[in-house]
Amino acid sequence: VEPKRKKRNICQELCGSVMEFGEESSPALAFEKEAFELTVEDVYDISYVIGRDLLKISNTGEEVSDLQFRIVRVLEMFETLVNKYNLSLEELKMERDNLKSELDRIIKESSSGQQTAGPNQLVIDLTDPNRPRFTMQELKEVLQERNQLKAQLMVAQEELQLYKSGILPQAEPAMVEVDLKTPAAKEHKPETINDTKEEKTTIGKLFSFRRK
Amino acid sequence: MAKKTYDLLFKLLLIGDSGVGKTCVLFRFSDDAFNTTFISTIGIDFKIKTVELQGKKIKLQIWDTAGQERFHTITTSYYRGAMGIMLVYDITNAKSFENISKWLRNIDEHANEDVERMLLGNKCDMEDKRVVPKAKGEQIAREHGIRFFETSAKANINIEKAFLTLAEDILRKTPVKEPNSENVDISSGSGVTGWKSKCCS
């Protein structure tokens, strides 16, 4: 596209009224181009060449005006198509470049760890061993069970204390024997140590894990 | 089955912002000890302490809640069973004091209507870092008609006094009839105690 040249149009080119081409630029070269490489300037060159040929024919005395009008019409359609094609191509290229740079930006962001999440969403790194994994309901159940066991342990400890201090009448020698084997049991009399046979009472079984 | 070691069971609850010292206040009361390392409470925990008031052995089951927002759905389900609630703020943390009104609203929303409330301004040993004047604590307590103490779990100031006062206030409202034979109830929310079932029937 040569910017210096005045705006061309099909009619003027075909009727040969305006153009004079230098020796170096030959408008006939437009015929040798690939269809998809044509610019609208090429279409004007084609118009010019056809106009020149028509002139030759009319100089021989033939009547060409009807043909001339049809050719103008066809070339105008051609002009529109080439124009439209080149514009669409340009638009698609720009669109493609925009998408490309957008994609590059997103890839860059995600690789640098700045992932974007919705306003109420949390991004979880699945490789983090400390990542959140359990639901509130699960935590609730675990805590309830923990507190239940804690309460039961306290009740058991209290009962044990009662047995130890002799408040409860069920306390038997076996109980004493079990206690004697634990490190903290020093308040009992030494003679009961040898009484190792009786250890089948409930309490003895319950707390047998403390022996050894 | 086992002989009961107490006459009454009171359930108390500690609430307030994260880091104000709820767990330390409780630890001072139950174990008479203090730990400087901060370990955030996960969800909900409890401790038991038996005290004697007016010749009665009273077992206090004290629930310690996590102050962090993310545990709220768990902690609020424990409000309902509480007979007394301690609202704790930190006198060196203005935000924790501002949030007291939010915690009071939580009580209105989730606890029993007749629950006994008490306001505690903890860390009163740190006078040099104080940002909440004692008068402001007294004022908000007066506005809501509740008792107020400044406490220090670290220096053991007013801790036992606060718990015993709260227990006394609950005892005063408790009908004199002997309680049902009940063990420590650990279920969340709807745990009915002897005291409450009598009140509501």
Side-chain angles (χ1 to χ4, degrees):
Chain A
V1 180
E2 288 127 280
K4 273 179 259 171
R5 205 176 282 170
K6 258 201 299 183
K7 188 160 168 44
R8 303 165 75 182
N9 75 56
I10 299 288
C11 256
Q12 284 169 351
E13 298 297 333
L14 196 74
C15 302
S17 59
V18 271
M19 295 309 300
E20 53 299 306
F21 289 90
E23 288 304 307
E24 68 283 359
S25 71
S26 167
L29 286 176
F31 283 97
E32 288 160 31
K33 284 197 173 177
E34 288 288 327
F36 290 121
E37 283 172 3
L38 288 172
T39 67
V40 75
E41 288 299 322
D42 294 323
V43 177
Y44 297 139
D45 283 354
I46 288 168
S47 304
Y48 171 79
V49 172
I50 292 174
R52 208 174 50 189
D53 291 348
L54 278 174
L55 194 63
K56 283 179 199 160
I57 298 169
S58 63
N59 284 345
T60 64
E62 299 289 327
E63 182 52 67
V64 293
S65 61
D66 279 359
L67 179 60
Q68 199 173 344
F69 282 125
R70 283 190 198 113
I71 291 172
V72 166
R73 178 73 191 121
V74 170
L75 285 170
E76 276 173 352
M77 285 154 68
F78 191 32
E79 177 194 31
T80 306
L81 288 174
V82 168
N83 247 335
K84 176 83 181 150
Y85 166 75
N86 283 325
L87 275 176
S88 306
L89 192 67
E90 202 54 41
E91 275 174 14
L92 288 172
K93 274 183 184 164
M94 277 167 62
E95 181 78 14
R96 183 201 60 193
D97 290 348
N98 283 344
L99 289 172
K100 234 183 188 168
S101 57
E102 177 77 359
L103 180 67
D104 286 348
R105 192 182 61 79
I106 290 171
I107 288 174
K108 215 171 161 188
E109 257 184 24
S110 64
S111 65
S112 68
Q114 293 177 335
Q115 278 125 325
T116 46
N120 286 321
Q121 284 174 332
L122 187 71
V123 176
I124 292 173
D125 176 7
L126 290 178
T127 61
D128 179 5
N130 237 344
R131 68 186 183 270
R133 253 174 285 214
F134 306 108
T135 65
M136 196 53 111
Q137 187 53 38
E138 285 166 332
L139 175 62
K140 205 170 177 173
E141 282 162 17
V142 171
L143 284 173
Q144 255 175 40
E145 189 178 352
R146 196 267 314 261
N147 290 334
Q148 207 150 12
L149 291 171
K150 205 166 144 181
Q152 282 171 8
L153 173 68
M154 284 173 175
V155 170
Q157 277 174 334
E158 247 169 45
E159 276 182 45
L160 177 65
Q161 209 52 48
L162 292 181
Y163 280 113
K164 271 184 171 176
S165 57
I167 292 175
L168 287 189
Q170 294 97 323
E172 287 169 12
M175 174 61 203
V176 174
E177 186 271 328
V178 169
D179 278 341
L180 280 170
K181 297 241 169 174
T182 68
K186 42 183 179 266
E187 75 269 34
H188 300 286
K189 280 177 252 158
E191 58 260 35
T192 53
I193 292 172
N194 298 325
D195 192 6
T196 53
K197 289 296 167 203
E198 299 187 49
E199 46 184 58
K200 291 290 176 199
T201 65
T202 317
I203 286 297
K205 274 184 236 159
L206 266 176
F207 293 94
S208 57
F209 64 91
R210 294 185 62 190
R211 301 170 68 239
K212 267 194 183 164
Chain B
M1 39 176 276
K3 206 180 231 170
K4 259 174 35 139
T5 53
Y6 60 94
D7 304 309
L8 290 164
L9 170 66
F10 288 172
K11 293 183 176 189
L12 310 180
L13 187 75
L14 285 159
I15 61 174
D17 278 13
S18 176
V20 298
K22 298 180 291 295
T23 304
C24 286
V25 164
L26 179 53
F27 193 46
R28 169 61 76 189
F29 179 61
S30 66
D31 294 68
D32 195 23
F34 181 78
N35 195 343
T36 43
T37 53
F38 175 59
I39 300 165
S40 190
T41 302
I42 295 175
I44 184 114
D45 198 357
F46 76 95
K47 285 198 177 282
I48 300 273
K49 169 112 173 166
T50 306
V51 297
E52 202 162 325
L53 285 175
Q54 297 169 20
K56 282 191 165 58
K57 276 199 172 141
I58 298 168
K59 187 172 228 170
L60 302 177
Q61 184 184 28
I62 307 155
W63 291 95
D64 179 24
T65 63
Q68 290 175 352
E69 175 70 32
R70 60 196 179 116
F71 292 118
H72 269 202
T73 51
I74 288 181
T75 54
T76 50
S77 67
Y78 284 79
Y79 282 43
R80 188 65 65 198
M83 296 144 81
I85 296 181
M86 281 177 163
L87 294 110
V88 189
Y89 69 89
D90 171 0
I91 65 152
T92 70
N93 178 344
K95 189 81 201 156
S96 75
F97 180 71
E98 286 165 33
N99 281 336
I100 284 299
S101 53
K102 188 194 81 182
W103 292 109
L104 281 165
R105 273 201 303 280
N106 271 342
I107 295 177
D108 289 342
E109 223 173 289
H110 299 285
N112 283 328
E113 227 174 81
D114 52 358
V115 67
E116 201 59 46
R117 297 166 302 168
M118 174 178 278
L119 182 65
L120 299 185
N122 193 38
K123 309 197 187 177
C124 73
D125 57 292
M126 297 167 78
E127 198 53 55
D128 52 327
K129 290 190 178 153
R130 175 195 285 274
V131 292
V132 183
K134 191 174 181 183
K136 280 186 97 177
E138 288 168 338
Q139 187 195 336
I140 196 168
R142 204 178 318 116
E143 282 166 11
H144 289 88
I146 60 181
R147 286 190 199 273
F148 170 66
F149 289 106
E150 280 200 342
T151 58
S152 167
K154 191 179 179 185
N156 197 5
I157 299 169
N158 278 343
I159 299 292
E160 181 152 314
K161 191 173 177 187
F163 279 101
L164 293 183
T165 306
L166 184 58
E168 266 169 10
D169 288 345
I170 297 169
L171 181 61
R172 200 164 301 125
K173 300 202 294 193
T174 307
V176 281
K177 225 186 99 188
E178 282 303 300
N180 314 341
S181 60
E182 248 182 289
N183 269 323
V184 177
D185 179 12
I186 52 81
S187 65
S188 70
S190 59
V192 175
T193 66
W195 173 77
K196 216 170 61 188
S197 57
K198 264 169 257 144
C199 274
C200 304
S201 59

